[in-house]
Amino acid sequence: MSFITYNRSQMNLFGYSVEDFARDDPKSRFVVELVSRLDLSALYSRYSSQGGDSYAPDMMLALWFYAYSNGITSTRKLEELCKYDTRYIYITGNQHPDHSTLSRFRKAHLDLLDQYFVEILLIAQAEGISSFNQIAIDGTKIKAHSSKRHGYTEDQLDKRIEKLRAEIKQYMQRCNFVEQGATDELDLETLRAEKERLERLEKEILERKAQLKERKKQLKSEHRSRHQINVKEPDARMMPSVDGPGYNAQLGVDMSSHLIVAHEVVSQPNDQGQFIPIQEQVEKNLGSDDKRSYTADSGYHNSTDLKELEEKQIDAVIADPQLSNRSIKETPTSKEELQKEERKLKRSDFVYHEQGDYYECPTGKKLFPVERNSERIVYRSNDCQDCPLINLCISSKRKLSKSIVQLMRVIANVWRKSYKLQRRRND
């Protein structure tokens, strides 16, 4: 097999070349130049030496890169653009691959995109575009192709299965009657085909039901009865922000160049537990860097990730959704202020002393650990009888508790860094 040749700089009879089409579009020229610097040996090795001519793989790759950068994913739309849009004409060298060719190329080589993604980042590093030492992690919701009307609860699936089985039984009876010589508005072949279609649909619905039951095991009991699965796109979850089924796209972005340096698509509706996977992917793609720091919003804040970040000594700022209720002050709230306000005490009114492992209340009393388990530590004072704030204390038992994994050395480091969050964003 050989490849169809093209020359973007070749002059035609009218005195211009397709290269002239891209003079006002630096992005198309940049994509072509970028692809020329990639190692495409794995892509070219997939083409056989037999058969007819094919479009050049480097041109097809550049075409898809440019299309995706403009939000074009439809092969039919891309086919049309290659005919009348001068930017795409420049990339293809005035060739016109049809939608079937475009689709086959994308399906056949989709697995190579991750490799090229990393290569592009390494080129950016080599060019000194950024030091890649400030990474922001965030998620965005993407609407699924399937409609929310394809979402079913387990009870709704049971009703649909029951209805399908009744229809299958009806078609089986009609097939038997026709085989015995009875007449029907449909011929025997059509009846059998419809019965087989319903049987395939029943099998698919049963598979979706099994998937739904497995997913419900991970949910709280009060949410299980209302949890749905989309029978067309089972990986998609209902997400209010897209008003239907969707996906949660996780991104790691370099704050200087705005280049995406890590990505993943998950079906989890929130960002909990997604920080570490993206952070690890960043380190894998760019290589480890002790000077690299990370920033994320409060949607990623959880004690498990905080502990892991501390253990790995990773510089990360994750906004605290309850910062105002944390004991991070140097001194407790004054007794006089609380009496004047006549409000209930909050955790933020207390001060934690890492040296000594105790809390100090607004009246100077000390709360020491009285209970420990694998998840929490409970602090309490036994000297509260004559306290003037006893009726305003945080609970009738006058005790504080905190997650054992939120060790105060972690909290001290991460929460104090939280004050840098706004400054980093402003920078």
Side-chain angles (χ1 to χ4, degrees):
M1 174 190 293
S2 59
F3 299 113
I4 301 173
T5 59
Y6 65 96
N7 187 345
R8 298 186 180 95
S9 59
Q10 182 177 351
M11 302 291 291
N12 63 15
L13 294 175
F14 298 99
Y16 67 85
S17 67
V18 294
E19 194 170 39
D20 297 327
F21 296 162
R23 296 199 184 279
D24 295 329
D25 182 47
K27 185 167 74 169
S28 60
R29 302 175 72 90
F30 170 74
V31 169
V32 169
E33 170 65 20
L34 187 63
V35 170
S36 71
R37 297 179 62 177
L38 298 177
D39 179 7
L40 302 181
S41 56
L43 177 61
Y44 275 84
S45 67
R46 295 184 174 186
Y47 284 80
S48 170
S49 58
Q50 307 297 318
D53 294 346
S54 294
Y55 289 107
D58 61 333
M59 181 275 289
M60 295 290 284
L61 185 64
L63 179 60
W64 270 119
F65 275 179
Y66 188 73
Y68 275 127
S69 74
N70 291 319
I72 305 298
T73 58
S74 167
T75 55
R76 293 184 182 274
K77 175 68 173 176
L78 185 53
E79 177 185 0
E80 290 300 308
L81 289 171
C82 291
K83 295 176 181 177
Y84 67 79
D85 192 305
T86 56
R87 299 169 300 173
Y88 292 86
I89 292 173
Y90 162 70
I91 291 175
T92 62
N94 204 19
Q95 299 180 92
H96 307 121
D98 61 28
H99 65 273
S100 297
T101 303
L102 293 167
S103 178
R104 285 196 300 270
F105 180 88
R106 177 169 61 179
K107 289 179 180 179
H109 310 301
L110 190 63
D111 59 309
L112 292 176
L113 292 187
D114 281 346
Q115 173 185 328
Y116 296 140
F117 174 74
V118 174
E119 279 193 48
I120 291 170
L121 294 180
L122 295 178
I123 290 173
Q125 273 186 318
E127 291 291 337
I129 292 176
S130 172
S131 60
F132 294 97
N133 59 12
Q134 287 190 333
I135 308 297
I137 295 177
D138 204 355
T140 184
K141 306 302 187 294
I142 300 175
K143 190 174 180 62
H145 288 292
S146 181
S147 167
K148 62 182 178 182
R149 65 187 179 86
H150 295 301
Y152 291 83
T153 64
E154 188 173 356
D155 288 341
Q156 291 170 331
L157 286 177
D158 286 335
K159 291 178 182 178
R160 189 169 183 192
I161 291 169
E162 184 180 351
K163 182 179 178 180
L164 282 171
R165 287 174 175 171
E167 292 180 6
I168 291 171
K169 183 177 180 181
Q170 184 183 41
Y171 272 94
M172 289 178 66
Q173 291 175 344
R174 290 173 68 179
C175 286
N176 290 335
F177 290 153
V178 172
E179 287 174 348
Q180 294 171 11
T183 58
D184 193 284
E185 60 183 8
L186 299 176
D187 58 49
L188 182 60
E189 184 178 349
T190 303
L191 288 170
R192 285 174 174 169
E194 183 62 17
K195 180 180 76 71
E196 291 173 358
R197 185 188 71 81
L198 292 171
E199 288 173 340
R200 290 194 300 270
L201 184 56
E202 179 197 15
K203 181 181 178 181
E204 180 183 331
I205 298 299
L206 287 171
E207 290 175 354
R208 298 292 177 260
K209 181 181 176 181
Q211 289 176 295
L212 178 60
K213 293 180 74 172
E214 193 63 31
R215 269 178 20 185
K216 286 167 67 174
K217 294 178 181 178
Q218 305 171 10
L219 302 176
K220 294 181 179 180
S221 57
E222 61 266 27
H223 298 152
R224 291 174 184 171
S225 62
R226 294 179 285 118
H227 188 61
Q228 295 183 341
I229 189 168
N230 192 288
V231 295
K232 299 296 184 181
E233 284 188 76
D235 290 334
R237 299 284 187 98
M238 290 298 295
M239 297 187 183
S241 58
V242 296
D243 190 29
Y247 303 93
N248 188 353
Q250 295 291 312
L251 301 174
V253 180
D254 174 53
M255 297 175 69
S256 173
S257 65
H258 299 168
L259 284 173
I260 295 173
V261 295
H263 62 91
E264 189 59 79
V265 177
V266 298
S267 57
Q268 183 175 308
N270 57 53
D271 297 328
Q272 286 290 299
Q274 301 304 319
F275 186 94
I276 297 297
I278 293 297
Q279 182 271 327
E280 290 178 343
Q281 190 183 140
V282 171
E283 298 296 318
K284 178 181 178 182
N285 291 344
L286 298 175
S288 298
D289 187 347
D290 294 337
K291 298 179 180 179
R292 186 172 294 132
S293 61
Y294 295 85
T295 300
D297 62 34
S298 59
Y300 294 87
H301 190 281
N302 68 83
S303 56
T304 303
D305 283 359
L306 290 180
K307 181 184 178 183
E308 186 167 346
L309 290 171
E310 175 67 12
E311 290 175 347
K312 293 180 177 179
Q313 297 184 337
I314 294 169
D315 183 4
V317 174
I318 303 178
D320 188 349
Q322 297 179 326
L323 184 61
S324 61
N325 197 32
R326 306 295 189 187
S327 303
I328 59 173
K329 300 187 297 184
E330 297 295 332
T331 58
T333 306
S334 70
K335 176 177 62 177
E336 292 73 22
E337 180 183 342
L338 292 168
Q339 288 175 322
K340 182 179 178 179
E341 294 179 1
E342 294 185 349
R343 65 169 174 81
K344 281 282 189 181
L345 273 67
K346 300 181 295 185
R347 185 190 296 269
S348 57
D349 295 319
F350 293 70
V351 169
Y352 178 77
H353 296 273
E354 185 174 4
Q355 187 175 1
D357 189 19
Y358 67 89
Y359 280 92
E360 180 184 353
C361 82
T363 63
K365 308 291 185 184
K366 295 181 179 180
L367 289 75
F368 292 97
V370 295
E371 181 184 331
R372 293 176 184 266
N373 57 41
S374 60
E375 296 182 353
R376 308 194 74 78
I377 306 173
V378 177
Y379 295 78
R380 185 172 182 176
S381 174
N382 295 321
D383 187 21
C384 300
Q385 292 78 8
D386 301 324
C387 179
L389 301 178
I390 191 169
N391 294 325
L392 301 177
C393 201
I394 60 174
S395 70
S396 59
K397 295 183 179 179
R398 298 177 294 284
K399 65 181 182 181
L400 287 172
S401 62
K402 68 180 179 71
S403 170
I404 199 168
V405 297
Q406 286 180 306
L407 302 172
M408 291 313 297
R409 60 188 177 87
V410 179
I411 296 170
N413 288 337
V414 178
W415 287 341
R416 285 168 187 162
K417 289 176 185 177
S418 294
Y419 293 109
K420 301 178 184 176
L421 177 61
Q422 191 62 44
R423 189 171 69 220
R424 279 194 188 174
R425 287 178 175 171
N426 292 339
D427 291 342

